[in-house]
Amino acid sequence: GQVEGGLCELVGPGDALDGGNAFRTFVRCFRRVIARYTAEDVQAMHGAAIWRLVHSEDRSLVQNHFRDRIEGRASSVRYQFRIVRKDGGIRWVEVSGSITRVGDRMMNQSIYRDITQQKQAEEEQEKLRAQLLQAQKMESVGRLAGGVAHDFNNMLSVILGMVEIIEERLEPDTP
């Protein structure tokens, strides 16, 4: 998959989760190739609108990791989430990042890797695994049914044999 990264100066936590400058610096690291947004597109997003770049189901995950990093609770992270491209397409990305001090400034180094193909392959593998499990269940049911039918046939053969013996012992005019 495609890889993007960058070194961005961290700003204070006060303005981070409302879509302020801090998150924009992170967005700058993956916006061009993976998300297909221009710098102007990102700059035009005001306030919390910048979070539209993160899939709605993954927003809290990303916000929590982001908050932990800029508030100093995590010096490095690695996690996966979905982004929404400018054209509306969904892509999976994996972010690896660390916080480092350069002189008196705190810097964030992040690498974003497009893992969409890997995720699609995992989904396909899971579908195949489910199909195999279903086939194994059907095979087990088939074997069980075959065993029951065989046992039933054996019992039926005994019953039919006994009926023949009884018929032989009966008088010809017995109803």
Side-chain angles (χ1 to χ4, degrees):
Q2 298 171 341
V3 177
E4 288 195 47
L7 184 64
C8 307
E9 184 172 2
L10 281 177
V11 261
D15 165 63
L17 294 179
D18 68 354
N21 291 331
F23 188 64
R24 284 180 201 284
T25 61
F26 285 95
V27 170
R28 190 175 68 205
C29 294
F30 70 85
R31 68 162 173 81
R32 196 175 61 255
V33 176
I34 296 174
R36 298 201 175 148
Y37 285 91
T38 65
E40 293 78 25
D41 293 332
V42 173
Q43 196 59 39
M45 294 178 190
H46 298 286
I50 193 105
W51 286 102
R52 289 189 319 223
L53 298 173
V54 178
H55 191 278
S56 60
E57 294 176 13
D58 297 335
R59 242 173 243 149
S60 63
L61 167 82
V62 175
Q63 288 173 339
N64 289 337
H65 279 291
F66 182 71
R67 185 183 298 114
D68 287 348
R69 288 173 77 190
I70 65 171
E71 292 177 358
R73 288 190 298 271
S75 60
S76 66
V77 293
R78 183 183 196 130
Y79 60 100
Q80 301 171 354
F81 65 98
R82 289 165 289 182
I83 60 168
V84 181
R85 281 187 163 179
K86 187 175 181 178
D87 63 7
I90 306 295
R91 303 298 288 180
W92 276 96
V93 295
E94 178 180 72
V95 61
S96 300
S98 60
I99 305 292
T100 186
R101 182 176 295 281
V102 177
D104 62 343
R105 296 171 27 199
M106 293 301 289
M107 304 295 283
N108 171 58
Q109 181 176 8
S110 297
I111 297 173
Y112 292 84
R113 186 169 61 102
D114 186 338
I115 59 168
T116 304
Q117 288 180 337
Q118 174 186 334
K119 285 291 193 177
Q120 289 169 341
E122 288 171 3
E123 287 175 14
E124 184 62 28
Q125 186 177 30
E126 188 56 37
K127 285 179 188 175
L128 292 173
R129 188 175 291 122
Q131 288 174 352
L132 175 62
L133 182 60
Q134 184 65 24
Q136 289 172 334
K137 286 179 184 178
M138 294 303 291
E139 180 184 8
S140 294
V141 168
R143 285 185 182 183
L144 179 63
V148 169
H150 181 72
D151 289 347
F152 183 73
N153 189 40
N154 287 342
M155 289 188 293
L156 191 57
S157 295
V158 169
I159 292 170
L160 291 175
M162 293 301 288
V163 168
E164 286 179 17
I165 291 172
I166 292 171
E167 282 180 336
E168 288 176 5
R169 292 184 180 169
L170 290 176
E171 297 292 326
D173 57 342
T174 306

mmCIF file of all heavy atoms in Angstrom, residues 29-66:
data_model
loop_
_atom_site.group_PDB
_atom_site.id
_atom_site.type_symbol
_atom_site.label_atom_id
_atom_site.label_comp_id
_atom_site.label_asym_id
_atom_site.label_seq_id
_atom_site.Cartn_x
_atom_site.Cartn_y
_atom_site.Cartn_z
ATOM 1 N N CYS A 29 -0.109 14.763 7.071
ATOM 2 C CA CYS A 29 0.742 13.598 6.830
ATOM 3 C C CYS A 29 0.117 12.571 5.897
ATOM 4 O O CYS A 29 0.831 11.798 5.285
ATOM 5 C CB CYS A 29 1.108 12.935 8.155
ATOM 6 S SG CYS A 29 2.148 13.955 9.211
ATOM 7 N N PHE A 30 -1.210 12.517 5.812
ATOM 8 C CA PHE A 30 -1.797 11.483 4.956
ATOM 9 C C PHE A 30 -2.766 12.024 3.919
ATOM 10 O O PHE A 30 -3.335 11.274 3.148
ATOM 11 C CB PHE A 30 -2.490 10.393 5.783
ATOM 12 C CG PHE A 30 -3.748 10.798 6.475
ATOM 13 C CD1 PHE A 30 -4.973 10.762 5.827
ATOM 14 C CD2 PHE A 30 -3.706 11.184 7.791
ATOM 15 C CE1 PHE A 30 -6.130 11.126 6.484
ATOM 16 C CE2 PHE A 30 -4.861 11.542 8.454
ATOM 17 C CZ PHE A 30 -6.079 11.519 7.802
ATOM 18 N N ARG A 31 -2.948 13.308 3.858
ATOM 19 C CA ARG A 31 -4.005 13.882 3.028
ATOM 20 C C ARG A 31 -3.771 13.739 1.542
ATOM 21 O O ARG A 31 -4.692 13.523 0.784
ATOM 22 C CB ARG A 31 -4.206 15.358 3.367
ATOM 23 C CG ARG A 31 -3.014 16.182 2.951
ATOM 24 C CD ARG A 31 -3.315 17.657 2.846
ATOM 25 N NE ARG A 31 -2.089 18.369 2.615
ATOM 26 C CZ ARG A 31 -1.507 18.483 1.443
ATOM 27 N NH1 ARG A 31 -2.028 17.924 0.384
ATOM 28 N NH2 ARG A 31 -0.377 19.140 1.313
ATOM 29 N N ARG A 32 -2.550 13.828 1.081
ATOM 30 C CA ARG A 32 -2.282 13.963 -0.343
ATOM 31 C C ARG A 32 -2.547 12.675 -1.122
ATOM 32 O O ARG A 32 -3.388 12.630 -2.006
ATOM 33 C CB ARG A 32 -0.852 14.452 -0.543
ATOM 34 C CG ARG A 32 -0.579 15.001 -1.922
ATOM 35 C CD ARG A 32 0.830 15.580 -2.041
ATOM 36 N NE ARG A 32 1.857 14.581 -1.802
ATOM 37 C CZ ARG A 32 2.574 14.500 -0.673
ATOM 38 N NH1 ARG A 32 2.404 15.344 0.303
ATOM 39 N NH2 ARG A 32 3.469 13.563 -0.532
ATOM 40 N N VAL A 33 -1.841 11.621 -0.816
ATOM 41 C CA VAL A 33 -1.956 10.400 -1.624
ATOM 42 C C VAL A 33 -3.086 9.507 -1.130
ATOM 43 O O VAL A 33 -3.910 9.050 -1.902
ATOM 44 C CB VAL A 33 -0.618 9.621 -1.619
ATOM 45 C CG1 VAL A 33 -0.759 8.312 -2.356
ATOM 46 C CG2 VAL A 33 0.475 10.464 -2.232
ATOM 47 N N ILE A 34 -3.135 9.266 0.155
ATOM 48 C CA ILE A 34 -4.096 8.310 0.679
ATOM 49 C C ILE A 34 -5.518 8.880 0.673
ATOM 50 O O ILE A 34 -6.442 8.268 0.182
ATOM 51 C CB ILE A 34 -3.687 7.837 2.091
ATOM 52 C CG1 ILE A 34 -2.351 7.086 2.004
ATOM 53 C CG2 ILE A 34 -4.766 6.958 2.699
ATOM 54 C CD1 ILE A 34 -1.756 6.699 3.330
ATOM 55 N N ALA A 35 -5.698 10.091 1.207
ATOM 56 C CA ALA A 35 -7.046 10.654 1.321
ATOM 57 C C ALA A 35 -7.439 11.479 0.102
ATOM 58 O O ALA A 35 -8.605 11.753 -0.110
ATOM 59 C CB ALA A 35 -7.153 11.511 2.573
ATOM 60 N N ARG A 36 -6.459 11.905 -0.701
ATOM 61 C CA ARG A 36 -6.691 12.663 -1.934
ATOM 62 C C ARG A 36 -7.301 14.049 -1.701
ATOM 63 O O ARG A 36 -8.089 14.526 -2.496
ATOM 64 C CB ARG A 36 -7.529 11.861 -2.915
ATOM 65 C CG ARG A 36 -6.819 10.587 -3.329
ATOM 66 C CD ARG A 36 -7.349 10.051 -4.606
ATOM 67 N NE ARG A 36 -6.552 8.905 -4.992
ATOM 68 C CZ ARG A 36 -7.020 7.875 -5.654
ATOM 69 N NH1 ARG A 36 -8.267 7.855 -6.021
ATOM 70 N NH2 ARG A 36 -6.243 6.889 -5.972
ATOM 71 N N TYR A 37 -6.946 14.665 -0.603
ATOM 72 C CA TYR A 37 -7.350 16.038 -0.347
ATOM 73 C C TYR A 37 -6.168 16.952 -0.644
ATOM 74 O O TYR A 37 -5.020 16.583 -0.408
ATOM 75 C CB TYR A 37 -7.756 16.236 1.123
ATOM 76 C CG TYR A 37 -9.092 15.661 1.474
ATOM 77 C CD1 TYR A 37 -9.201 14.354 1.939
ATOM 78 C CD2 TYR A 37 -10.247 16.412 1.349
ATOM 79 C CE1 TYR A 37 -10.431 13.817 2.274
ATOM 80 C CE2 TYR A 37 -11.484 15.888 1.679
ATOM 81 C CZ TYR A 37 -11.566 14.587 2.147
ATOM 82 O OH TYR A 37 -12.781 14.063 2.465
ATOM 83 N N THR A 38 -6.453 18.139 -1.110
ATOM 84 C CA THR A 38 -5.401 19.126 -1.304
ATOM 85 C C THR A 38 -5.225 19.902 -0.013
ATOM 86 O O THR A 38 -6.080 19.856 0.879
ATOM 87 C CB THR A 38 -5.778 20.111 -2.437
ATOM 88 O OG1 THR A 38 -6.921 20.858 -2.012
ATOM 89 C CG2 THR A 38 -6.070 19.386 -3.738
ATOM 90 N N ALA A 39 -4.135 20.629 0.077
ATOM 91 C CA ALA A 39 -3.908 21.477 1.251
ATOM 92 C C ALA A 39 -5.039 22.487 1.388
ATOM 93 O O ALA A 39 -5.486 22.797 2.502
ATOM 94 C CB ALA A 39 -2.564 22.183 1.127
ATOM 95 N N GLU A 40 -5.528 22.985 0.266
ATOM 96 C CA GLU A 40 -6.623 23.956 0.292
ATOM 97 C C GLU A 40 -7.912 23.325 0.828
ATOM 98 O O GLU A 40 -8.664 23.963 1.558
ATOM 99 C CB GLU A 40 -6.861 24.542 -1.110
ATOM 100 C CG GLU A 40 -5.727 25.398 -1.628
ATOM 101 C CD GLU A 40 -4.534 24.571 -2.151
ATOM 102 O OE1 GLU A 40 -4.709 23.394 -2.551
ATOM 103 O OE2 GLU A 40 -3.415 25.113 -2.134
ATOM 104 N N ASP A 41 -8.161 22.057 0.442
ATOM 105 C CA ASP A 41 -9.349 21.360 0.947
ATOM 106 C C ASP A 41 -9.319 21.290 2.472
ATOM 107 O O ASP A 41 -10.313 21.555 3.139
ATOM 108 C CB ASP A 41 -9.422 19.924 0.405
ATOM 109 C CG ASP A 41 -9.672 19.847 -1.083
ATOM 110 O OD1 ASP A 41 -10.298 20.763 -1.640
ATOM 111 O OD2 ASP A 41 -9.239 18.835 -1.688
ATOM 112 N N VAL A 42 -8.165 20.895 2.998
ATOM 113 C CA VAL A 42 -8.027 20.741 4.451
ATOM 114 C C VAL A 42 -8.149 22.097 5.132
ATOM 115 O O VAL A 42 -8.815 22.237 6.154
ATOM 116 C CB VAL A 42 -6.698 20.040 4.810
ATOM 117 C CG1 VAL A 42 -6.478 20.030 6.316
ATOM 118 C CG2 VAL A 42 -6.689 18.628 4.246
ATOM 119 N N GLN A 43 -7.509 23.094 4.567
ATOM 120 C CA GLN A 43 -7.550 24.438 5.161
ATOM 121 C C GLN A 43 -8.974 24.986 5.187
ATOM 122 O O GLN A 43 -9.344 25.704 6.103
ATOM 123 C CB GLN A 43 -6.635 25.388 4.382
ATOM 124 C CG GLN A 43 -6.301 26.660 5.121
ATOM 125 C CD GLN A 43 -5.597 26.395 6.452
ATOM 126 O OE1 GLN A 43 -4.755 25.504 6.558
ATOM 127 N NE2 GLN A 43 -5.962 27.136 7.473
ATOM 128 N N ALA A 44 -9.790 24.612 4.210
ATOM 129 C CA ALA A 44 -11.166 25.110 4.122
ATOM 130 C C ALA A 44 -12.093 24.462 5.154
ATOM 131 O O ALA A 44 -13.190 24.953 5.389
ATOM 132 C CB ALA A 44 -11.718 24.888 2.716
ATOM 133 N N MET A 45 -11.669 23.368 5.759
ATOM 134 C CA MET A 45 -12.500 22.700 6.769
ATOM 135 C C MET A 45 -12.367 23.462 8.075
ATOM 136 O O MET A 45 -11.272 23.648 8.587
ATOM 137 C CB MET A 45 -12.065 21.250 6.937
ATOM 138 C CG MET A 45 -12.315 20.410 5.732
ATOM 139 S SD MET A 45 -11.720 18.735 6.002
ATOM 140 C CE MET A 45 -11.865 18.068 4.359
ATOM 141 N N HIS A 46 -13.492 23.867 8.626
ATOM 142 C CA HIS A 46 -13.474 24.672 9.848
ATOM 143 C C HIS A 46 -13.927 23.832 11.035
ATOM 144 O O HIS A 46 -14.842 23.027 10.928
ATOM 145 C CB HIS A 46 -14.395 25.885 9.691
ATOM 146 C CG HIS A 46 -13.962 26.791 8.592
ATOM 147 N ND1 HIS A 46 -12.862 27.617 8.695
ATOM 148 C CD2 HIS A 46 -14.455 26.981 7.344
ATOM 149 C CE1 HIS A 46 -12.707 28.280 7.569
ATOM 150 N NE2 HIS A 46 -13.665 27.909 6.727
ATOM 151 N N GLY A 47 -13.274 24.058 12.165
ATOM 152 C CA GLY A 47 -13.670 23.399 13.404
ATOM 153 C C GLY A 47 -13.693 21.890 13.286
ATOM 154 O O GLY A 47 -12.805 21.275 12.720
ATOM 155 N N ALA A 48 -14.761 21.312 13.815
ATOM 156 C CA ALA A 48 -14.878 19.851 13.863
ATOM 157 C C ALA A 48 -15.077 19.222 12.491
ATOM 158 O O ALA A 48 -14.998 17.999 12.351
ATOM 159 C CB ALA A 48 -16.028 19.459 14.782
ATOM 160 N N ALA A 49 -15.305 20.011 11.468
ATOM 161 C CA ALA A 49 -15.505 19.460 10.115
ATOM 162 C C ALA A 49 -14.304 18.657 9.657
ATOM 163 O O ALA A 49 -14.435 17.760 8.819
ATOM 164 C CB ALA A 49 -15.797 20.586 9.127
ATOM 165 N N ILE A 50 -13.127 18.944 10.210
ATOM 166 C CA ILE A 50 -11.920 18.206 9.810
ATOM 167 C C ILE A 50 -12.041 16.724 10.149
ATOM 168 O O ILE A 50 -11.454 15.870 9.495
ATOM 169 C CB ILE A 50 -10.660 18.827 10.450
ATOM 170 C CG1 ILE A 50 -9.391 18.278 9.806
ATOM 171 C CG2 ILE A 50 -10.593 18.563 11.929
ATOM 172 C CD1 ILE A 50 -8.720 19.209 8.896
ATOM 173 N N TRP A 51 -12.859 16.398 11.147
ATOM 174 C CA TRP A 51 -13.021 15.004 11.555
ATOM 175 C C TRP A 51 -13.812 14.202 10.530
ATOM 176 O O TRP A 51 -13.895 12.982 10.633
ATOM 177 C CB TRP A 51 -13.656 14.909 12.944
ATOM 178 C CG TRP A 51 -12.683 15.282 14.012
ATOM 179 C CD1 TRP A 51 -12.613 16.471 14.675
ATOM 180 C CD2 TRP A 51 -11.607 14.487 14.509
ATOM 181 N NE1 TRP A 51 -11.562 16.457 15.557
ATOM 182 C CE2 TRP A 51 -10.930 15.254 15.482
ATOM 183 C CE3 TRP A 51 -11.148 13.209 14.223
ATOM 184 C CZ2 TRP A 51 -9.828 14.765 16.164
ATOM 185 C CZ3 TRP A 51 -10.051 12.724 14.912
ATOM 186 C CH2 TRP A 51 -9.395 13.503 15.866
ATOM 187 N N ARG A 52 -14.382 14.866 9.522
ATOM 188 C CA ARG A 52 -15.052 14.134 8.429
ATOM 189 C C ARG A 52 -14.068 13.223 7.711
ATOM 190 O O ARG A 52 -14.467 12.280 7.046
ATOM 191 C CB ARG A 52 -15.635 15.102 7.397
ATOM 192 C CG ARG A 52 -16.826 15.865 7.846
ATOM 193 C CD ARG A 52 -17.429 16.615 6.684
ATOM 194 N NE ARG A 52 -16.410 17.219 5.832
ATOM 195 C CZ ARG A 52 -16.485 18.439 5.332
ATOM 196 N NH1 ARG A 52 -17.519 19.187 5.551
ATOM 197 N NH2 ARG A 52 -15.521 18.912 4.561
ATOM 198 N N LEU A 53 -12.792 13.520 7.813
ATOM 199 C CA LEU A 53 -11.767 12.697 7.155
ATOM 200 C C LEU A 53 -11.660 11.308 7.780
ATOM 201 O O LEU A 53 -11.174 10.379 7.149
ATOM 202 C CB LEU A 53 -10.403 13.387 7.238
ATOM 203 C CG LEU A 53 -10.294 14.738 6.544
ATOM 204 C CD1 LEU A 53 -8.957 15.376 6.868
ATOM 205 C CD2 LEU A 53 -10.477 14.599 5.057
ATOM 206 N N VAL A 54 -12.094 11.191 9.031
ATOM 207 C CA VAL A 54 -12.042 9.913 9.742
ATOM 208 C C VAL A 54 -13.436 9.295 9.698
ATOM 209 O O VAL A 54 -14.435 9.966 9.963
ATOM 210 C CB VAL A 54 -11.593 10.117 11.207
ATOM 211 C CG1 VAL A 54 -11.593 8.791 11.961
ATOM 212 C CG2 VAL A 54 -10.213 10.763 11.255
ATOM 213 N N HIS A 55 -13.514 8.015 9.357
ATOM 214 C CA HIS A 55 -14.793 7.308 9.290
ATOM 215 C C HIS A 55 -15.522 7.475 10.630
ATOM 216 O O HIS A 55 -14.913 7.376 11.695
ATOM 217 C CB HIS A 55 -14.546 5.829 8.998
ATOM 218 C CG HIS A 55 -15.774 5.068 8.666
ATOM 219 N ND1 HIS A 55 -16.628 4.581 9.629
ATOM 220 C CD2 HIS A 55 -16.310 4.719 7.466
ATOM 221 C CE1 HIS A 55 -17.622 3.955 9.037
ATOM 222 N NE2 HIS A 55 -17.456 4.017 7.725
ATOM 223 N N SER A 56 -16.825 7.695 10.573
ATOM 224 C CA SER A 56 -17.609 7.993 11.781
ATOM 225 C C SER A 56 -17.486 6.903 12.853
ATOM 226 O O SER A 56 -17.463 7.207 14.043
ATOM 227 C CB SER A 56 -19.079 8.223 11.429
ATOM 228 O OG SER A 56 -19.626 7.064 10.819
ATOM 229 N N GLU A 57 -17.373 5.641 12.449
ATOM 230 C CA GLU A 57 -17.249 4.553 13.423
ATOM 231 C C GLU A 57 -15.881 4.513 14.091
ATOM 232 O O GLU A 57 -15.717 3.872 15.129
ATOM 233 C CB GLU A 57 -17.540 3.217 12.748
ATOM 234 C CG GLU A 57 -18.974 3.070 12.288
ATOM 235 C CD GLU A 57 -19.222 1.780 11.524
ATOM 236 O OE1 GLU A 57 -18.355 0.871 11.560
ATOM 237 O OE2 GLU A 57 -20.274 1.680 10.874
ATOM 238 N N ASP A 58 -14.896 5.178 13.509
ATOM 239 C CA ASP A 58 -13.534 5.144 14.048
ATOM 240 C C ASP A 58 -13.136 6.456 14.723
ATOM 241 O O ASP A 58 -12.037 6.557 15.271
ATOM 242 C CB ASP A 58 -12.536 4.837 12.922
ATOM 243 C CG ASP A 58 -12.774 3.470 12.304
ATOM 244 O OD1 ASP A 58 -13.339 2.601 12.992
ATOM 245 O OD2 ASP A 58 -12.400 3.280 11.142
ATOM 246 N N ARG A 59 -13.991 7.460 14.672
ATOM 247 C CA ARG A 59 -13.637 8.784 15.174
ATOM 248 C C ARG A 59 -13.199 8.777 16.631
ATOM 249 O O ARG A 59 -12.182 9.361 16.982
ATOM 250 C CB ARG A 59 -14.814 9.735 14.987
ATOM 251 C CG ARG A 59 -14.463 10.864 14.084
ATOM 252 C CD ARG A 59 -15.641 11.728 13.739
ATOM 253 N NE ARG A 59 -15.835 11.616 12.306
ATOM 254 C CZ ARG A 59 -16.965 11.700 11.681
ATOM 255 N NH1 ARG A 59 -18.069 11.941 12.343
ATOM 256 N NH2 ARG A 59 -17.020 11.561 10.383
ATOM 257 N N SER A 60 -13.961 8.120 17.505
ATOM 258 C CA SER A 60 -13.599 8.150 18.930
ATOM 259 C C SER A 60 -12.264 7.450 19.173
ATOM 260 O O SER A 60 -11.459 7.901 19.991
ATOM 261 C CB SER A 60 -14.703 7.552 19.797
ATOM 262 O OG SER A 60 -14.899 6.197 19.498
ATOM 263 N N LEU A 61 -12.001 6.366 18.461
ATOM 264 C CA LEU A 61 -10.714 5.674 18.579
ATOM 265 C C LEU A 61 -9.569 6.622 18.232
ATOM 266 O O LEU A 61 -8.597 6.753 18.985
ATOM 267 C CB LEU A 61 -10.681 4.459 17.646
ATOM 268 C CG LEU A 61 -9.309 3.811 17.431
ATOM 269 C CD1 LEU A 61 -8.987 2.881 18.580
ATOM 270 C CD2 LEU A 61 -9.283 3.073 16.111
ATOM 271 N N VAL A 62 -9.690 7.294 17.093
ATOM 272 C CA VAL A 62 -8.633 8.203 16.644
ATOM 273 C C VAL A 62 -8.509 9.386 17.600
ATOM 274 O O VAL A 62 -7.399 9.783 17.963
ATOM 275 C CB VAL A 62 -8.895 8.670 15.196
ATOM 276 C CG1 VAL A 62 -7.873 9.702 14.760
ATOM 277 C CG2 VAL A 62 -8.889 7.471 14.248
ATOM 278 N N GLN A 63 -9.633 9.915 18.038
ATOM 279 C CA GLN A 63 -9.594 11.053 18.962
ATOM 280 C C GLN A 63 -8.913 10.676 20.271
ATOM 281 O O GLN A 63 -8.119 11.455 20.802
ATOM 282 C CB GLN A 63 -11.008 11.578 19.222
ATOM 283 C CG GLN A 63 -11.578 12.312 18.038
ATOM 284 C CD GLN A 63 -13.032 12.684 18.215
ATOM 285 O OE1 GLN A 63 -13.754 12.102 19.027
ATOM 286 N NE2 GLN A 63 -13.486 13.655 17.430
ATOM 287 N N ASN A 64 -9.199 9.480 20.785
ATOM 288 C CA ASN A 64 -8.563 9.034 22.028
ATOM 289 C C ASN A 64 -7.055 8.871 21.867
ATOM 290 O O ASN A 64 -6.276 9.303 22.713
ATOM 291 C CB ASN A 64 -9.194 7.739 22.528
ATOM 292 C CG ASN A 64 -10.595 7.948 23.053
ATOM 293 O OD1 ASN A 64 -10.973 9.054 23.440
ATOM 294 N ND2 ASN A 64 -11.391 6.896 23.042
ATOM 295 N N HIS A 65 -6.635 8.232 20.774
ATOM 296 C CA HIS A 65 -5.192 8.082 20.528
ATOM 297 C C HIS A 65 -4.538 9.450 20.346
ATOM 298 O O HIS A 65 -3.443 9.700 20.851
ATOM 299 C CB HIS A 65 -4.933 7.216 19.286
ATOM 300 C CG HIS A 65 -5.036 5.749 19.547
ATOM 301 N ND1 HIS A 65 -4.132 5.063 20.320
ATOM 302 C CD2 HIS A 65 -5.946 4.826 19.129
ATOM 303 C CE1 HIS A 65 -4.476 3.790 20.371
ATOM 304 N NE2 HIS A 65 -5.578 3.621 19.661
ATOM 305 N N PHE A 66 -5.210 10.305 19.624
ATOM 306 C CA PHE A 66 -4.686 11.643 19.361
ATOM 307 C C PHE A 66 -4.542 12.415 20.678
ATOM 308 O O PHE A 66 -3.504 13.016 20.953
ATOM 309 C CB PHE A 66 -5.630 12.363 18.392
ATOM 310 C CG PHE A 66 -5.171 13.728 18.012
ATOM 311 C CD1 PHE A 66 -4.076 13.902 17.179
ATOM 312 C CD2 PHE A 66 -5.835 14.846 18.476
ATOM 313 C CE1 PHE A 66 -3.656 15.156 16.819
ATOM 314 C CE2 PHE A 66 -5.424 16.105 18.121
ATOM 315 C CZ PHE A 66 -4.333 16.272 17.299
#
